[in-house]
Amino acid sequence: MRRVLISLGLLLITLQAAAQMEWHDPMAENEPPICGRAWNKEIGKEYLRMPRRMKPLLRKEVWSLAHHTAGLYLHFNTNTSHIWVRYVLTGSTNKAGNMSALGHSGVDLYAYDREGRMHWLPNQMYYNLTLKHQSDTVLFRYDDAKIPAAGAKGWDYVLYLPTYNGVQSLQVGVDEGTTFKWYVPSQDKPIVVYGTSITQGAASSRPGMIWTTILERETGLPVINLGFSGNALMEPEVFDAVAETDARAYIIDCIPNSFRFYEGQEIQTRYPAGIRKIRAKSDAPIIMAECIVGDDQLFVSKKDAKKRAANKILRQVYEQLKAEGVKGLYYISAEDFSMPRDAMVEGTHPNDIGMQIYARTYEKALAKLGLLSGKK
């Protein structure tokens, strides 16, 4: 009984504190300030990564994964001393598999001071992702964060949304009487990434540690995450969608899925067909990436051999496209990633160390292509 009374007391205090916050809903804006996605105006007031007109064109698995908010974030400014985030998810938090609930369904907050220096705000475990009902509200409280006073100018914040779950509704809470404004998405040409579960974020510890979000922070370039867990199968309909965005560069990282489902003939046909679709719309650089090969080949030699065979076929596709005169192709090999043994979770997906290696590898490629000039 004592524990119940304490829990009820804490709940009452939390509810009273929440009532004193001013809450801001991004979907109340005329144009939702959802960053990190293409088609922002068309998608409108839904937390989707692809527009609804594509639903009939895509396999149901891909369309379902397009509801996950991997790589999406909110950019805002406030001079508050406290920040709370409350939201309702579309799916369960109990399906994390090889990921923590925080990495799967949590949010992640970064701050930029007036000099542009980046800071990460630890949440100190003031959240609850063990929900009794799917419709329950998740609450993240950044109460232990001592936000230095910044006067009327405030601080800029980036709030990364869940990686392997969808969002029904979300609000950011700040102290009463403080300033608050949303930033609209960047109009700079983005890096568009079409990839697998590794691109979607498995198995980062938190949303800010997906390699695409690391790449976005480190380069200052907008990045569009079109990672579809287990379903990056080089389908023409997805390549059509990728090619719709006028990008600074395209990254195609599908082999970690495709080597499992397709024999060489499929890679030899679907992959170049997709590259030609992109090249018909854009002359932006296209980065083609092999499947990473971990340090486990001694114990999973059969799977390792399939990865290497798929990578060999991809190299042949790259050479074929170059021989045809396709310009602006850049190739990343498994050796370029150089993934050490402690960079993996279960032998398939990178942990935070591996995610940082992914981001650095792609950042080097973008630098070699001259795409980071003038960026941080």
Side-chain angles (χ1 to χ4, degrees):
M1 177 62 72
R2 176 180 171 82
R3 288 184 178 180
V4 172
L5 290 175
I6 291 173
S7 297
L8 289 174
L10 292 173
L11 176 60
L12 180 60
I13 292 171
T14 300
L15 291 173
Q16 289 174 339
Q20 295 173 358
M21 304 286 281
E22 290 183 353
W23 294 93
H24 300 270
D25 184 347
M27 293 305 180
E29 301 296 300
N30 291 331
E31 179 184 343
I34 311 299
C35 304
R37 71 179 180 182
W39 311 285
N40 190 51
K41 289 183 179 180
E42 181 181 357
I43 294 173
K45 300 186 179 185
E46 293 184 280
Y47 290 95
L48 297 175
R49 288 188 288 159
M50 304 181 84
R52 285 200 169 270
R53 65 177 162 84
M54 294 182 180
K55 179 179 179 180
L57 307 175
L58 303 172
R59 281 188 302 110
K60 63 179 182 179
E61 293 84 359
V62 175
W63 177 246
S64 176
L65 290 165
H67 288 69
H68 293 178
T69 51
L72 303 190
Y73 62 95
L74 296 164
H75 189 191
F76 59 91
N77 176 279
T78 178
N79 64 356
T80 188
S81 296
H82 304 91
I83 295 177
W84 287 16
V85 182
R86 64 186 183 191
Y87 57 100
V88 177
L89 295 161
T90 62
S92 171
T93 63
N94 299 321
K95 297 179 180 179
N98 58 354
M99 298 179 67
S100 69
L102 179 60
H104 183 277
S105 299
V107 294
D108 207 0
L109 188 62
Y110 285 73
Y112 293 84
D113 61 27
R114 301 318 302 173
E115 284 71 44
R117 292 185 295 259
M118 179 179 64
H119 307 266
W120 173 63
L121 274 73
N123 54 59
Q124 301 290 354
M125 295 183 288
Y126 285 107
Y127 63 88
N128 181 14
L129 283 167
T130 305
L131 308 179
K132 291 184 178 180
H133 306 286
Q134 189 172 305
S135 60
D136 288 350
T137 298
V138 179
L139 179 63
F140 271 64
R141 296 159 42 206
Y142 292 88
D143 287 349
D144 268 6
K146 302 297 183 182
I147 303 173
K153 291 183 177 180
W155 288 59
D156 288 346
Y157 294 89
V158 169
L159 178 72
Y160 293 106
L161 303 187
T163 300
Y164 265 75
N165 214 325
V167 173
Q168 292 187 49
S169 61
L170 180 146
Q171 294 175 310
V172 175
V174 297
D175 296 329
E176 284 186 333
T178 56
T179 62
F180 188 95
K181 71 173 181 179
W182 299 108
Y183 288 115
V184 298
S186 170
Q187 297 303 302
D188 288 347
K189 289 186 178 183
I191 308 298
V192 176
V193 185
Y194 174 30
T196 66
S197 54
I198 296 172
T199 297
Q200 186 171 336
S204 60
S205 64
R206 48 189 174 83
M209 291 305 295
I210 309 174
W211 71 260
T212 60
T213 58
I214 298 172
L215 185 67
E216 174 265 325
R217 288 195 303 276
E218 293 300 319
T219 64
L221 297 173
V223 179
I224 307 300
N225 185 315
L226 295 178
F228 302 109
S229 182
N231 284 277
L233 303 183
M234 308 178 297
E235 294 152 297
E237 296 82 5
V238 180
F239 271 114
D240 284 336
V242 169
E244 283 191 10
T245 300
D246 183 15
R248 183 181 300 261
Y250 302 89
I251 295 174
I252 310 301
D253 196 338
C254 296
I255 300 302
N257 279 168
S258 299
F259 90 88
R260 294 187 291 116
F261 294 102
Y262 294 144
E263 299 299 328
Q265 184 64 33
E266 291 285 357
I267 297 175
Q268 287 173 331
T269 55
R270 288 195 174 201
Y271 207 115
I275 297 297
R276 294 187 189 104
K277 280 179 177 286
I278 295 173
R279 193 47 83 232
K281 296 285 188 69
S282 171
D283 59 0
I286 300 173
I287 300 174
M288 303 169 59
E290 289 186 355
C291 178
I292 57 172
V293 178
D295 194 56
D296 56 1
Q297 58 264 32
L298 177 65
F299 302 98
V300 287
S301 56
K302 185 176 180 180
K303 189 173 185 179
D304 178 75
K306 288 185 176 181
K307 290 180 181 180
R308 293 181 185 276
N311 287 342
K312 184 177 180 180
I313 295 168
L314 182 63
R315 171 69 76 167
Q316 293 170 355
V317 169
Y318 170 69
E319 298 296 344
Q320 169 197 334
L321 290 168
K322 285 206 309 179
E324 291 177 5
V326 178
K327 305 293 185 183
L329 299 180
Y330 186 92
Y331 197 84
I332 292 181
S333 69
E335 290 70 27
D336 291 327
F337 287 112
S338 187
M339 200 67 64
R341 64 177 63 88
D342 291 332
M344 306 295 286
V345 172
E346 73 300 73
T348 297
H349 299 94
N351 56 25
D352 289 353
I353 297 172
M355 288 289 180
Q356 290 171 328
I357 291 171
Y358 255 88
R360 284 201 302 269
T361 302
Y362 281 117
E363 185 176 358
K364 289 178 182 177
L366 295 172
K368 287 181 179 179
L369 291 168
L371 299 179
L372 302 186
S373 176
K375 295 295 178 179
K376 65 180 180 181

